[in-house]
Amino acid sequence: MPASPNRSARVLRAGRRRALPLAAALLALVGGVLWWLLPLGQERPSGEITFSTGVRTGVYQRYGQLLKEALDRRLPDVATTLRDSEGSQQNLARVASGEAHFTIATADAVATYVQEGRPGAAGLRGCTRLYDDYVQLVVPRGSAVRSARDLAGLRVGVGQPGSGVRLLADRLLGAAGLDPAKDIRAVSAGIDTMPALMEGDRLDAFFWSGGLPTNAVLRLSERFPIRLVPLEQELVDTVHAEGGPSRYYRSAVIPADAYPLAQEGEPVATVAVANLLVTTERIDPALTEGVTRTVIGSRDRIGREVHPAQVVDLRTALYTDPLPLHDGARRYYRSVKP
């Protein structure tokens, strides 16, 4: 029997009611996509940027490669170029001068750059607090070195001149009562060459500061017997007493499973310092917002390969001391505030 006009009208109204939630969901989905592509109603960023990373085989370099992949996906109109560097100090000089647009640097290196009033320091801005670097003092397993004080007279890798490792090594050696220029045989080298130098018996020890684990150190431990030397609390206290940039160091522990073959199941006391994503006030806010959004949104994907990136946390990411937040980064954090 044909449906009555009243029944047909009721069915039509019910169909419309069921369609409304679906339409709302689709609008929300489209809105989310547009929110990503057009933050706060602005045109999506475009152009070219240079990202200054670090030495080959270092964590900065691999993080930069994975971040570039994420930027290529999420900011398709932005062409990103990576550029190797010696590390934090050179990275900051490049961004401050305009040679690069974004970079990673340790908080103590940033504080040193600002405190010394180096060119462009006043224009530096923070985007995100990333992960912590852990100082790793590496020696052959049979070495007699048990503390930083035992490095006197030895061939010690202290990082390249433009690296954050060099800053840390100099400060830690000074805290141990050693003059880096006189009391050790300092070797300027990065993590891309120090493991091979140690294997070739051309280094007695080396300092490295990076996320855990750093692949270059992990691979070295798998083919050559090494050990991590503890950096005890007394050393950290001495460094802290210097004030200034040294206040960004904190006592930390390298977990027992970071380098299983090098630690033999034992945690190792050390020093840690935060890494920051850095840009300058000259960079367009929409671009900076997009880059910041990509860093946070890509945390899990990047963290599968660069394990330290797993700890990037939205709740602490905006604390970029000693740098003020870039306006674009601030805009992003406001947009995701609960």
Side-chain angles (χ1 to χ4, degrees), residues 147-166:
S147 74
R149 297 177 182 83
D150 298 331
L151 296 174
L154 300 183
R155 301 164 298 175
V156 182
V158 292
Q160 294 172 296
S163 68
V165 178
R166 176 63 63 88

Side-chain angles (χ1 to χ4, degrees), residues 36-37 39 42-47 75-78 284 286-288 290-291:
W36 169 254
L37 294 176
Q42 297 185 7
E43 294 183 4
R44 65 186 186 187
S46 61
L75 300 179
D77 294 335
V78 176
D284 177 65
L287 176 58
T288 305
V291 171

Side-chain angles (χ1 to χ4, degrees), residues 3 13 25 57-58 88 113 122 137 169 175 177 206 242 246 282 293 336:
R13 287 195 296 270
T57 75
S88 290
Y113 197 94
L137 177 52
F206 67 80
E242 297 175 5
S246 296
R282 299 187 303 270
R293 187 182 296 272
V336 295

Side-chain angles (χ1 to χ4, degrees), residues 51-69 81-88 91 94 103-105 130-131 133 191-192 208-211 214-216 219 275 302 305-306:
F51 194 103
S52 189
T53 56
V55 296
R56 290 183 304 108
T57 75
V59 179
Y60 284 3
Q61 174 70 4
R62 186 57 182 147
Y63 185 91
Q65 291 169 345
L66 294 169
L67 180 58
K68 179 186 183 307
E69 293 175 7
T81 299
L82 302 181
R83 188 176 176 190
D84 295 354
S85 81
E86 294 183 354
S88 290
N91 283 343
R94 284 179 177 172
T103 194
I104 306 175
L130 295 170
Y131 55 87
D133 274 354
I191 195 61
D192 53 338
W208 169 244
S209 176
T214 296
N215 283 337
R219 288 195 294 267
N275 281 297
I302 293 176
E305 290 196 42
V306 179

Side-chain angles (χ1 to χ4, degrees), residues 178-190:
L178 301 176
D179 184 336
K182 298 178 181 178
D183 296 331
I184 64 167
R185 295 161 63 185
V187 178
S188 293

Side-chain angles (χ1 to χ4, degrees), residues 311-325:
V311 302
V312 175
D313 189 335
L314 183 59
R315 293 168 297 181
T316 58
L318 74 168
Y319 297 111
T320 57
D321 181 50
L323 293 179
L325 267 177

